[in-house]
Amino acid sequence: MKHLIIVGILVAIFSVLVSVLLGAIGLLPIQASAQAVTIDRLFDLHFKLIAFLFSLIMVLMLYSIVVFRRKPGETGDGKHIEGNTPLELAWTVVPLIAVIYIAYLGAGSLAETRRVDPQAMVVKVTARQWSWSFEYPEYNITSSTLNLPVDKQVLLQLTSLDVLHGFWVPEFRLKQDVVPGTTKELRVTPDRVGEYKVRCSVICGTSHAKMEQPTIVQTAADFQAWVKEQQSAVSANPVERGKKWATQFGCVACHSIDGSKVVGPTWKGLFGHEVPLADGTTVKGDDAYLLESIINPNAKIVQGFAPNLMPPTYGAQLTKDQINDLIEYMKTIK
């Protein structure tokens, strides 16, 4: 009994120390959504359980090594103990109850994160290799940044144009796989003004690590000002619109504008010059070539690049006006 009391005290002390250490490390980023609060309660419980189990195992092991080690002069075997029914029942029943309780807390947390606000703002999120775009149907705008008003629930409707992606803003504590051909929903209520990043949590190809874009949580007044700015930008000149579409639809993730080689051919000096092709021929980089390259990117493969790098979905995804704007923008990149 003496040993059990000593071990119990040591386990309690080390559990507190390990728990404090885990808290001091800062394992989680800041909370930036209402959903993060209930999720972090579960994280906190798990960290405390980890601290307890780690301390229980290490204290028992080290205590046994030190206290029950073979003493000088001892040559016989230790006392043989076979089975302990109360102990076996305890280490079966107690973990079972703990797991059921954690599952209950998890179900409650899941229900809380999915709580529906009928006044939620809808944002349609589109993933592609390797960028995100965000459409605001209520305001008739599309953006390459995810701007959200603080303290207002947002219903994110997520879809992918090519492969499996994962929508993840670590500060929101929410993550959702984005599956081609389906629309997934995710609800979030940002409650902290600041700038964060939406990242792809699923390995999705060559530039997966670069598939991140700004997430900006703003006051209601700042958000409305941003909306007005976006709405006015749509009516700007075609070159400016084309520059906006190039960023918004992820074109600049694969095509540089400074002559460097990224995933696809650079846009610098493309218009009006001869373009060498993989089959040994050349083609002039005029309007017709640029249009065909957007609508049917595998029709003519540029020398030094592999086929099927660019998804053949942009012709259906972009409007005719947006394609024309992109071409006008590419013409200016000398």
Side-chain angles (χ1 to χ4, degrees):
M1 181 58 70
K2 178 185 72 173
H3 294 300
L4 288 177
I5 294 174
I6 294 174
V7 167
I9 293 173
L10 290 174
V11 168
I13 292 172
F14 278 97
S15 295
V16 172
L17 291 176
V18 173
S19 182
V20 170
L21 178 61
L22 289 176
I25 291 174
L27 297 174
L28 300 173
I30 62 171
Q31 293 179 353
S33 74
Q35 290 77 10
V37 176
T38 182
I39 292 172
D40 279 4
R41 288 197 201 105
L42 273 180
F43 271 123
D44 187 56
L45 175 60
H46 280 79
F47 292 152
K48 286 181 170 59
L49 286 174
I50 290 169
F52 168 72
L53 292 173
F54 175 79
S55 300
L56 179 65
I57 294 169
M58 296 304 296
V59 167
L60 280 172
M61 182 179 69
L62 295 175
Y63 188 85
S64 298
I65 290 173
V66 173
V67 176
F68 300 113
R69 70 188 185 281
R70 175 174 286 187
K71 305 299 189 299
E74 292 182 346
T75 57
D77 293 335
K79 183 179 179 181
H80 180 69
I81 299 174
E82 185 175 339
N84 187 314
T85 301
L87 182 61
E88 292 173 4
L89 286 173
W91 72 39
T92 301
V93 174
V94 172
L96 177 62
I97 293 173
V99 169
I100 292 174
Y101 178 63
I102 292 173
Y104 168 75
L105 294 179
S109 177
L110 181 62
E112 185 64 29
T113 59
R114 293 186 174 182
R115 190 179 301 279
V116 175
D117 181 351
Q119 302 300 319
M121 180 181 73
V122 176
V123 179
K124 295 183 178 181
V125 181
T126 302
R128 64 179 66 80
Q129 292 175 311
W130 291 271
S131 66
W132 303 90
S133 63
F134 311 97
E135 180 185 352
Y136 297 76
E138 181 180 348
Y139 303 105
N140 195 30
I141 58 175
T142 305
S143 173
S144 59
T145 63
L146 179 58
N147 289 60
L148 303 174
V150 71
D151 295 327
K152 181 177 179 62
Q153 187 180 100
V154 179
L155 172 58
L156 301 170
Q157 297 177 337
L158 306 112
T159 189
S160 170
L161 296 180
D162 37 51
V163 299
L164 186 69
H165 297 282
F167 179 93
W168 180 40
V169 179
E171 292 80 6
F172 292 169
R173 303 293 192 275
L174 298 172
K175 185 163 60 173
Q176 175 63 58
D177 285 349
V178 188
V179 183
T182 66
T183 299
K184 298 290 186 178
E185 292 188 347
L186 186 66
R187 293 181 181 271
V188 60
T189 308
D191 63 358
R192 187 186 183 104
V193 172
E195 294 191 16
Y196 315 104
K197 285 185 179 180
V198 54
R199 309 172 189 271
C200 181
S201 61
V202 177
I203 296 178
C204 58
T206 310
S207 297
H208 158 72
K210 299 177 182 178
M211 190 172 168
E212 57 180 32
Q213 278 164 264
T215 298
I216 303 172
V217 179
Q218 305 170 287
T219 64
D222 287 343
F223 176 75
Q224 290 300 325
W226 174 81
V227 167
K228 291 180 180 178
E229 179 185 342
Q230 294 298 305
Q231 289 173 333
S232 63
V234 174
S235 60
N237 69 69
V239 173
E240 288 300 317
R241 290 199 305 265
K243 186 176 181 180
K244 174 182 170 65
W245 305 142
T247 302
Q248 181 175 299
F249 291 101
C251 305
V252 292
C254 296
H255 301 280
S256 74
I257 59 173
D258 61 1
S260 60
K261 183 176 180 179
V262 192
V263 178
T266 182
W267 284 356
K268 183 177 182 180
L270 175 60
F271 183 78
H273 293 79
E274 294 295 319
V275 180
L277 302 179
D279 61 5
T281 63
T282 60
V283 63
K284 187 172 183 179
D286 54 14
D287 292 64
Y289 169 72
L290 296 179
L291 177 62
E292 182 185 47
S293 297
I294 295 172
I295 296 176
N296 185 12
N298 291 309
K300 293 181 175 66
I301 305 301
V302 177
Q303 190 177 82
F305 295 90
N308 301 314
L309 288 177
M310 179 173 168
T313 55
Y314 284 94
Q317 181 187 352
L318 298 168
T319 66
K320 182 179 179 180
D321 289 339
Q322 287 173 331
I323 292 175
N324 289 335
D325 291 341
L326 277 171
I327 293 173
E328 292 303 313
Y329 172 54
M330 283 187 272
K331 289 180 181 180
T332 66
I333 305 173
K334 305 296 186 181

